[in-house]
Amino acid sequence: MPHSALAYIAGAYEHPLRNAPDTSVAQLHAEVAFGALADAGLSKDDVDGFFCGPDAPGTGPLSLADYMNLKLRHVDTTNTSGSSYLIHVAHAAQAIAAGKCNVALITLAGRPRQQGKSKGALKRADDPNQPDFQWESPFGIQILGVYGMVAQRHRNLYGTTAEQMAWVKVAASHHAQHNPHAMLRDVVTVEDVVNSPLVADPLHRLDCCVVTDGGGALIVTRPEIAKSLKRPLVKVIGCGEAPVGQNGGYMEITDTGAQRSGATAFAQAGVKPADIGYVSLYDSFTITAMLQIEDLGFCPKGEVGRFVMDGNLISGVGRLPFNTDGGGLCNNHPVNRGGMTKAIEAVRQIRGEAHPAVQVPDCRLALANAIGGQLGVRHASSTIILERE
């Protein structure tokens, strides 16, 4: 049964570079923007809304709008780290419904490899006015350590094993082998993952995402504009967002905001987890994807270890195909902000444009979820549900 559309994603583009020593951040933003516009069959003169995060250089949307010579009547610089770009899809749909813009451009781009930024790098409180990290950085908080703590907590509560976590990486690698742009294309085994160096018990090196340059862009439009273009129609039918704080220390670190953002998106879309044919999940670490699977309702809490085993996330093998581009674990994690690529691969699946080896047959409903910030401390979850028309 068709569902009403909030808006349509008319264009999507992922930059092919994973290492960009000779391309500026502004140029990367422009290249992904024009790639998404070309994909949609639109021009920059059609764009009247621009959405970006703090990865935008200079004065953010002002600098990039000037650089790309955009004539805008609406801008949005929402920043919830890696989940920003799915929230941008929701905010673009809301702005379109409110008559603020007709064609919204969303971009992400950066060069963390060139800047030597690692996913496990120390968070620094250089600004004494920050309300959070000044209390954490003196004790050496690291992203790796926090996610290792979350994984350890899940293991202690539910008996989740390193071998079960490894299956998430195995599935991602099976998909990445078919992606010519993926940073890591070698298929790995459970043994490969658990025998890789331990970096934050129980996480091993292969439980961790890649760090890449590059970026991506999306075009969100009014329904009538999308229907005038010669592209498959991808409807945005449900959106949810949920920031999560520490509640003064009274928090369960294995719970994510996906519990609330997912529930909101499912209710708005009028569908349930069993209806979803494909999922894009933020996979900064294997445990990150696993917690989203539980909290979005694809399996009961505590049972995700058994759920992901034996290839259950591999397209054509299991019942919940995920991250068929290879995800952040193998393909691309531009600017250490993976929400954009999650939306792009979900669009490919809905259009039937994923690689034939991983394309989900007759994929009518897809879900993308992203986590921004840090699990175990403070984060935000954003969820979008897409439908083929």
Side-chain angles (χ1 to χ4, degrees):
M1 170 178 157
H3 302 88
S4 60
L6 307 175
Y8 287 69
I9 297 180
Y13 181 79
E14 180 181 5
H15 205 289
L17 291 182
R18 303 293 180 263
N19 191 14
D22 303 317
T23 310
S24 71
V25 173
Q27 184 177 343
L28 288 170
H29 273 275
E31 288 176 357
V32 297
F34 287 101
L37 285 166
D39 179 64
L42 295 167
S43 76
K44 72 177 183 61
D45 295 332
D46 295 309
V47 175
D48 59 352
F50 182 49
F51 296 69
C52 64
D55 54 280
T59 49
L62 302 183
S63 292
L64 284 179
D66 185 33
Y67 183 78
M68 293 187 281
N69 196 24
L70 301 176
K71 304 298 187 288
L72 304 172
R73 58 193 182 99
H74 186 75
V75 294
D76 185 315
T77 59
T78 296
N79 175 28
T80 58
S81 194
S83 58
S84 304
Y85 310 92
L86 299 189
I87 289 181
H88 286 155
V89 172
H91 288 188
Q94 292 163 2
I96 288 168
K100 301 294 185 182
C101 61
N102 294 315
V103 176
L105 167 65
I106 306 168
T107 65
L108 159 74
R111 302 167 71 238
R113 291 183 67 80
Q114 302 310 308
Q115 297 163 358
K117 291 183 179 179
S118 166
K119 183 63 184 172
L122 187 69
K123 288 283 189 178
R124 298 193 177 278
D126 297 325
D127 179 1
N129 294 312
Q130 286 192 62
D132 40 37
F133 289 126
Q134 63 176 316
W135 306 110
E136 297 163 12
S137 288
F139 300 96
I141 186 173
Q142 287 186 312
I143 295 175
L144 278 172
V146 171
Y147 278 78
M149 179 175 69
V150 170
Q152 189 78 262
R153 170 72 170 167
H154 202 273
R155 180 169 73 176
N156 291 342
L157 285 176
Y158 305 115
T160 310
T161 67
E163 289 77 11
Q164 290 171 334
M165 288 191 291
W167 272 106
V168 180
K169 175 74 169 196
V170 170
S173 75
H174 273 268
H175 298 148
Q177 68 176 316
H178 304 293
N179 182 351
H181 300 302
M183 185 172 176
L184 304 178
R185 297 188 65 191
D186 291 339
V187 175
V188 301
T189 65
V190 169
E191 291 72 23
D192 291 331
V193 179
V194 298
N195 290 329
S196 65
L198 194 67
V199 293
D201 192 17
L203 298 175
H204 296 80
R205 179 186 292 168
L206 293 183
D207 284 297
C208 307
C209 66
V210 299
V211 176
T212 56
D213 299 343
L218 297 165
I219 304 294
V220 183
T221 74
R222 302 180 79 73
E224 55 269 28
I225 293 175
K227 292 176 182 180
S228 73
L229 305 171
K230 297 178 181 179
R231 299 296 285 131
L233 293 173
V234 180
K235 298 195 296 186
V236 182
I237 62 170
C239 302
E241 57 192 77
V244 177
Q246 297 179 89
N247 192 32
Y250 292 92
M251 65 181 300
E252 171 50 60
I253 63 174
T254 64
D255 289 342
T256 76
Q259 293 176 343
R260 290 190 287 124
S261 67
T264 299
F266 279 120
Q268 187 174 44
V271 300
K272 55 188 182 298
D275 298 322
I276 302 297
Y278 165 79
V279 294
S280 283
L281 301 175
Y282 199 99
D283 53 346
S284 51
F285 302 91
T286 51
I287 189 64
T288 319
M290 293 172 76
L291 294 183
Q292 291 164 83
I293 289 170
E294 290 185 334
D295 290 348
L296 290 166
F298 291 106
C299 75
K301 196 71 178 174
E303 294 185 13
V304 69
R306 291 179 291 277
F307 182 87
V308 301
M309 290 176 62
D310 302 321
N312 200 37
L313 302 180
I314 299 175
S315 185
V317 176
R319 58 192 174 102
L320 188 66
F322 108 117
N323 293 12
T324 44
D325 59 341
L329 288 169
C330 296
N331 170 36
N332 193 12
H333 191 211
V335 206
N336 296 331
R337 288 169 164 257
M340 173 63 74
T341 53
K342 300 299 165 278
I344 291 171
E345 184 66 5
V347 169
R348 291 190 192 113
Q349 281 287 349
I350 289 290
R351 287 176 167 181
E353 294 176 351
H355 190 283
V358 299
Q359 176 66 51
V360 175
D362 193 31
C363 184
R364 301 198 63 83
L365 286 169
L367 177 148
N369 196 83
I371 300 292
Q374 290 177 242
L375 296 183
V377 193
R378 64 197 63 76
H379 68 276
S381 176
S382 52
T383 311
I384 62 172
I385 298 174
L386 308 179
E387 183 179 42
R388 185 179 81 227
E389 181 172 306

